[in-house]
Amino acid sequence: METKAASSVLPQERAVKKQKQRSVGRLFRKDWQLYSLLVLPVIYLLIFKYGPMIGNVIAFRRFVPGGSIYGEKWVGLHYFRMFIQDPTFWKVFTNTLILGALTLLFTFPIPIIFALLLNEVKNKKFKKFVQTASYMPHFLSIVIVAGMILQMTSASGSINALIRFFGGDGINFMQRAEWFRAIYVTSEVWQGMGWGAILYLAALTTIDESLYEAAKIDGANRWKQTLHVTIPGILPTIVTLLILNMGSFLAIGFEKILLLYNPVIYETSDVISTYLFRVGLQSSSFSYATAIGLFESIIGLILVFSVNAISRKVTERSLW
């Protein structure tokens, strides 16, 4: 009897699979114009994202300039042992963790708060003006932003002029290591606050107005409505962006730091990406730099999976 039941189930499963394949084929034929738009992005990802992954093999092989792009000799974990035993790397790694944590601590929640506050503004003209003014810094070139920061924090810059106006002594900010983290994080908040709020403002428009009406009937004030209706409504967006941000936790803005830092403030400004630039390109230690970069990518992958698992357990929401 069991054999007969099993034999009857198999044809049913095959029929279901064939039906699914036909439905997918029909959908593709119906909307092939839309699917064709994916061709260029997929080609871009294959060439510039997945293709270069093959080069990670030189983390385990000795690369000689002018020789094979895949290295000349297998050395195993030699380069990994090198950076693990290198005190300079661990100093750079610590700087990256601190700067990444500070950046995430301020740049992640501030756009959420800004979007919630902006959502409460009833004057449409004023709201549009604030939105436009807050978006603009995102579109400025990193070179321009770095130039503005260096100009404002210089000995004769506007910040020191303000300090002297109130009777204080000028500070040469970019020559003092203890000021770099505050300057960098502040610039990141200023540049990304408005742009980061866009997704949250879009998520706010999807919340059902009847939920607010029901909350008002129950006697909830604006704060309680925000706490029990607004925040739960945008929580999926918050969780998704948090997981994505954790993937780039160690990938601190290379361009901005490279333009701002100098040997005097390496103590707090030197991060993995700038260290890789000096070791890999300027010193031509490509295999050593690749090993460090691969280590950084693995840490980022672990963080993404960890945060996703924690989010699934705590909030019952996750990317997968």
Side-chain angles (χ1 to χ4, degrees):
M1 294 293 291
E2 292 180 0
T3 305
K4 291 181 179 180
S7 61
S8 63
V9 169
L10 286 174
Q12 292 178 359
E13 291 180 351
R14 290 172 183 168
V16 170
K17 288 181 179 178
K18 288 182 179 180
Q19 187 175 0
K20 288 182 178 178
Q21 291 173 354
R22 288 170 185 166
S23 61
V24 171
R26 282 196 297 269
L27 286 173
F28 183 80
R29 286 192 296 271
K30 180 181 177 182
D31 300 319
W32 68 268
Q33 296 95 335
L34 293 176
Y35 288 110
S36 66
L37 297 176
L38 293 173
V39 173
L40 288 179
V42 169
I43 292 174
Y44 168 81
L45 289 173
L46 289 174
I47 295 175
F48 295 103
K49 299 297 182 180
Y50 290 97
M53 288 184 182
I54 302 172
N56 284 326
V57 71
I58 67 172
F60 308 95
R61 298 176 65 87
R62 180 172 287 110
F63 176 80
V64 178
S68 172
I69 61 172
Y70 301 114
E72 300 295 329
K73 180 183 178 182
W74 181 266
V75 294
L77 300 176
H78 171 71
Y79 294 109
F80 291 89
R81 287 192 290 268
M82 278 181 62
F83 74 73
I84 288 174
Q85 296 169 2
D86 184 4
T88 303
F89 168 78
W90 290 111
K91 179 62 180 177
V92 169
F93 185 74
T94 304
N95 283 341
T96 307
L97 288 179
I98 295 173
L99 203 55
L102 289 173
T103 303
L104 185 66
L105 180 64
F106 288 98
T107 60
F108 184 74
I110 286 179
I112 301 173
I113 298 170
F114 179 67
L116 293 175
L117 293 174
L118 203 58
N119 191 54
E120 297 297 321
V121 177
K122 302 304 179 184
N123 189 317
K124 291 185 178 180
K125 290 185 178 179
F126 178 72
K127 186 176 182 178
K128 288 182 179 179
F129 170 76
V130 173
Q131 283 181 294
T132 303
S134 62
Y135 295 165
M136 285 180 66
H138 176 78
F139 297 100
L140 294 177
S141 168
I142 295 295
V143 177
I144 295 175
V145 173
M148 292 171 62
I149 294 170
L150 292 173
Q151 181 65 30
M152 293 174 65
T153 57
S154 65
S156 58
S158 56
I159 296 177
N160 275 313
L162 190 63
I163 292 173
R164 293 190 188 96
F165 177 78
F166 287 102
D169 296 326
I171 302 171
N172 198 345
F173 292 99
M174 300 313 293
Q175 298 296 320
R176 296 178 62 174
E178 64 270 20
W179 282 101
F180 180 81
R181 289 168 182 162
I183 293 170
Y184 176 82
V185 174
T186 303
S187 69
E188 285 290 290
V189 171
W190 171 73
Q191 196 174 4
M193 179 180 68
W195 183 257
I198 291 177
L199 290 176
Y200 300 112
L201 288 170
L204 287 169
T205 61
T206 64
I207 300 175
D208 191 352
E209 289 294 330
S210 62
L211 296 175
Y212 290 105
E213 295 174 2
K216 289 179 183 178
I217 294 172
D218 291 338
N221 55 25
R222 294 301 301 172
W223 167 247
K224 289 185 178 179
Q225 290 175 38
T226 301
L227 193 63
H228 299 290
V229 178
T230 307
I231 293 179
I234 63 173
L235 189 59
T237 304
I238 294 174
V239 170
T240 301
L241 292 178
L242 176 61
I243 295 171
L244 294 175
N245 284 341
M246 289 305 298
S248 58
F249 182 78
L250 296 179
I252 305 297
F254 164 71
E255 296 90 351
K256 185 183 289 186
I257 294 179
L258 186 67
L259 292 168
L260 291 177
Y261 83 154
N262 59 73
V264 178
I265 57 174
Y266 274 177
E267 181 183 352
T268 56
S269 64
D270 199 15
V271 293
I272 292 177
S273 57
T274 54
Y275 181 66
L276 287 178
F277 172 75
R278 294 199 312 276
V279 172
L281 294 180
Q282 295 183 340
S283 301
S284 300
S285 300
F286 298 107
S287 293
Y288 182 61
T290 303
I292 297 175
L294 186 58
F295 172 77
E296 179 187 0
S297 300
I298 292 172
I299 296 295
L301 184 65
I302 292 172
L303 286 173
V304 168
F305 276 93
S306 301
V307 174
N308 189 74
I310 294 170
S311 174
R312 191 188 305 115
K313 289 185 178 181
V314 176
T315 66
E316 297 182 353
R317 293 179 173 87
S318 61
L319 284 181
W320 63 87

